[in-house]
Amino acid sequence: MPGPRSDPFASVRAPHVPLPLRLAPELDPPIAPPRVALRTALLINPFYPKDPHASFGKHVLTPTLALTSVAAATPEGWSVRYWDENLLQGPPPVVPVPEVVGITVHLTFAQRAFDLAAHYRALGARVVFGGLHVLSCPDECAPHADVLAIGDGVQLWPEILRDLELGRMKRRYEASFDRPYRDDPPPRRDLLPRDSFLTTTSVIATRGCHNRCGFCYLSTDGLRMPYRMRDVEQVVDEIRGDGQPYVVFTDNNLGSRKDYLHALCAALAPLGIIWSAAVTIDVTDDPSLVRAMALSGCTGVFIGFESLGQQNLDDANKRTPTPDDYARRVAMLHDCGIQVNGSFVLGFDHDGPDVFERTVKWVETNRLECATFHILTPYPGTPLFARMEREGRLLHRDWNRYDTAHVVFQPARMSVEQLEQGYAWCYRRLFSHRSIWRRRPRSWSAVPAYLASSYLYKRSNWLWHLLIQRGWTARAWRPLVRLSRWRHLGFRERLARRLERVAPSTRSGGPAGNVVTPGV
């Protein structure tokens, strides 16, 4: 397949995005006269337009934990509902009008949040804003809401509702993330439509990350999120309670504390589930931990490689093994049956037009089952944003386009058009039949399941809006989840038997090579 140098990113028509995935649903006209139901709350995850180049299916893999966690903190005597506009069920309900509407506000759907707030305030509801954009841009958000919740919403939500009952609600509430994470109640998963997601068991065991990359939202000025861990028993009880065979840990970095992850793996192993998580590549510093992850059911990891250029990583203040060692470490994960979804950021100052082909070739050579691409985006409040602003390189402040799919700054070593077209080329290449085939597992027994999941995730965008609208997401994924779990249970048995035959010193530390053919 010709690379971008033989096809110099000639402009092509963007892939089609179905209307329901591109435009927010129209809000119902005001009720006359509106009836406000006291002690009722509605929590809304606003609509955001979908990237035409990426998989539409990724938006319904797991539900947001922010709002279900806030819902769990709702005081007794209040009823609470949850509405995710991205499930394509139309605008959020207005009958009866809730007394309080909580809206999470993120950068790329801030305007939609403002529109929703105006709609509900006109009906007589009180609107509470929370989320990262409220922390980074409070003055912008304040005119659109009755209350700003800045910081840990789980702490602030019950205080806000109590103050409303007492007639002393303030305009602004703030809370740090210093409270022990174990004190948070488990999320209200009973509010979720279970069939609308790949799994409703999205879990956060830890909060924070040992890295503070200059482009990451965790480096936002004013956001201090120390690394906090929940008790392992709490996590296991939560997983058991939801009864799903597949669990997704949505931690920023589940492997920041390797001793904790070892303990978690030991507790997960008897459950017979499969799970995936975001970790950094340095999790492979400890081969015994990689094997423990596999034996406890880990079938996939999301790893922010970010760049194959060491200078880019240094500039971003990312502490990571050198890119020259990435391939060996990926092989360690593959040897233990763990698939790798690599995340790459395009447009760093040391990136030239060759970065796109070089990155995709590395992904294919190392057979990463999936990769996610992002255009470098300076989020407000981050060191990257401050530097770009000082250098006069920001093109605009249209937050709708700060979604890692649009270029919003002047790149250093290529044009805006080259970066946009190179980003699109990476996804076209990755989602092509040829690339999917090149990245197939080495074990032929694993190829059918890999192809089925790859084609559902990467080449079914024409179908996804129908699956989402009808609530068939779980139905589409369920056979593959069951097959993956069945295969991995067998793989774990083979891996455990093989490990029993290796030297104890190898089990506890040093590399064991290909301990067993994964076949998953």
Side-chain angles (χ1 to χ4, degrees):
M1 182 175 183
R5 274 176 282 187
S6 59
D7 174 17
F9 305 122
S11 180
V12 296
R13 182 183 302 174
H16 172 67
V17 181
L19 199 63
L21 293 168
R22 186 159 39 93
L23 296 177
E26 292 187 12
L27 298 174
D28 295 330
I31 302 169
R35 183 176 64 87
V36 175
L38 299 180
R39 292 194 173 187
T40 61
L42 173 66
L43 300 174
I44 303 176
N45 187 38
F47 175 88
Y48 52 89
K50 308 306 180 278
D51 180 359
H53 304 291
S55 170
F56 300 153
K58 73 177 186 177
H59 302 285
V60 286
L61 296 181
T62 61
T64 170
L65 271 175
L67 292 181
T68 50
S69 297
V70 167
T74 303
E76 289 187 16
W78 283 77
S79 64
V80 61
R81 295 181 65 183
Y82 166 93
W83 192 269
D84 188 342
E85 287 196 299
N86 299 285
L87 298 183
L88 308 184
Q89 302 302 305
V94 294
V95 180
V97 177
E99 185 175 10
V100 177
V101 177
I103 304 176
T104 185
V105 189
H106 286 200
L107 187 68
T108 53
F109 53 74
Q111 186 55 55
R112 178 61 178 178
F114 298 163
D115 293 342
L116 288 166
H119 180 65
Y120 279 99
R121 292 175 88 184
L123 296 173
R126 306 286 189 93
V127 171
V128 179
F129 276 173
L132 185 62
H133 195 58
V134 176
L135 184 146
S136 60
C137 299
D139 293 340
E140 177 187 327
C141 295
H144 300 280
D146 298 287
V147 177
L148 298 186
I150 299 175
D152 188 354
V154 174
Q155 289 186 59
L156 295 176
W157 180 246
E159 180 183 355
I160 292 169
L161 296 186
R162 282 194 295 267
D163 282 357
L164 172 62
E165 290 180 314
L166 297 172
R168 63 185 190 194
M169 193 169 68
K170 298 178 290 189
R171 290 278 296 161
R172 183 169 175 147
Y173 293 78
E174 296 188 35
S176 72
F177 290 94
D178 290 331
R179 187 177 73 163
Y181 196 19
R182 66 174 62 88
D183 293 346
D184 285 3
R188 285 283 307 274
R189 294 187 178 86
D190 59 298
L191 300 175
L192 299 170
R194 290 177 71 85
D195 288 340
S196 294
F197 301 96
L198 164 61
T199 178
T200 53
T201 314
S202 53
V203 179
I204 298 182
T206 66
R207 189 161 58 194
C209 179
H210 65 272
N211 275 305
R212 281 296 182 272
C213 304
F215 58 84
C216 179
Y217 80 91
L218 285 177
S219 65
T220 299
D221 187 32
L223 176 61
R224 181 181 176 274
M225 188 177 288
Y227 200 73
R228 292 286 186 263
M229 299 161 288
R230 297 173 63 207
D231 293 340
V232 167
E233 295 78 12
Q234 285 181 304
V235 177
V236 170
D237 288 344
E238 201 173 304
I239 292 170
R240 281 201 186 101
D242 203 35
Q244 297 263 22
Y246 177 48
V247 174
V248 176
F249 288 95
T250 59
D251 307 50
N252 296 113
N253 181 4
L254 187 60
S256 268
R257 279 277 302 269
K258 293 181 176 59
D259 57 338
Y260 178 83
L261 184 51
H262 264 294
L264 181 63
C265 289
L268 293 176
L271 301 184
I273 59 167
I274 55 176
W275 60 272
S276 60
V279 298
T280 45
I281 190 62
D282 58 9
V283 74
T284 54
D285 288 348
D286 181 357
S288 70
L289 177 56
V290 176
R291 294 191 285 273
M293 291 166 63
L295 290 170
S296 68
C298 181
T299 57
V301 289
F302 179 90
I303 295 179
F305 295 103
E306 318 309 359
S307 176
L308 300 177
Q310 186 63 54
Q311 288 178 299
N312 291 329
L313 298 172
D314 291 342
D315 288 352
N317 194 35
K318 185 176 180 71
R319 291 175 289 169
T320 182
T322 63
D324 290 344
D325 201 28
Y326 282 174
R328 181 185 69 86
R329 292 169 180 269
V330 167
M332 289 176 61
L333 293 162
H334 281 164
D335 287 346
C336 284
I338 298 174
Q339 298 184 1
V340 179
N341 181 356
S343 176
F344 298 90
V345 177
L346 307 168
F348 285 112
D349 281 357
H350 298 284
D351 286 344
D354 64 327
V355 67
F356 311 111
E357 187 172 21
R358 180 161 43 86
T359 301
V360 171
K361 280 188 173 180
W362 187 90
V363 169
E364 292 179 344
T365 298
N366 291 283
R367 298 188 181 228
L368 268 64
E369 289 77 7
C370 192
T372 304
F373 302 103
H374 310 274
I375 293 173
L376 183 68
T377 300
Y379 297 132
T382 61
L384 177 63
F385 186 93
R387 179 169 68 84
M388 292 285 184
E389 190 171 43
R390 283 195 310 271
E391 296 172 359
R393 294 170 62 186
L394 296 177
L395 301 178
H396 55 74
R397 297 188 184 219
D398 178 1
W399 304 138
N400 293 329
R401 298 173 69 82
Y402 277 61
D403 58 358
T404 77
H406 295 88
V407 181
V408 299
F409 71 101
Q410 180 58 55
R413 298 186 57 204
M414 65 183 102
S415 68
V416 169
E417 292 73 23
Q418 283 177 309
L419 181 49
E420 285 183 340
Q421 293 168 6
Y423 165 80
W425 178 86
C426 286
Y427 268 120
R428 287 202 307 274
R429 169 76 170 248
L430 188 80
F431 286 11
S432 68
H433 300 290
R434 185 174 297 185
S435 182
I436 291 173
W437 181 247
R438 282 175 174 168
R439 292 178 288 109
R440 68 192 182 278
R442 297 185 186 280
S443 171
W444 282 104
S445 64
V447 170
Y450 160 77
L451 291 178
S453 59
S454 292
Y455 273 78
L456 177 60
Y457 186 75
K458 301 181 180 73
R459 296 197 61 89
S460 298
N461 273 358
W462 59 274
L463 177 64
W464 267 110
H465 74 286
L466 298 175
L467 294 176
I468 296 170
Q469 283 179 323
R470 287 166 171 74
W472 290 349
T473 298
R475 193 176 304 182
W477 278 111
R478 196 171 288 129
L480 292 173
V481 170
R482 288 172 176 163
L483 175 61
S484 296
R485 178 178 174 274
W486 174 76
R487 292 181 59 81
H488 206 271
L489 287 172
F491 165 69
R492 285 181 233 179
E493 292 179 2
R494 298 194 302 275
L495 176 59
R497 288 196 298 269
R498 183 66 61 90
L499 290 175
E500 287 298 321
R501 295 196 292 270
V502 302
S505 59
T506 303
R507 289 204 306 271
S508 62
N514 287 11
V515 291
V516 67
T517 301
V520 295

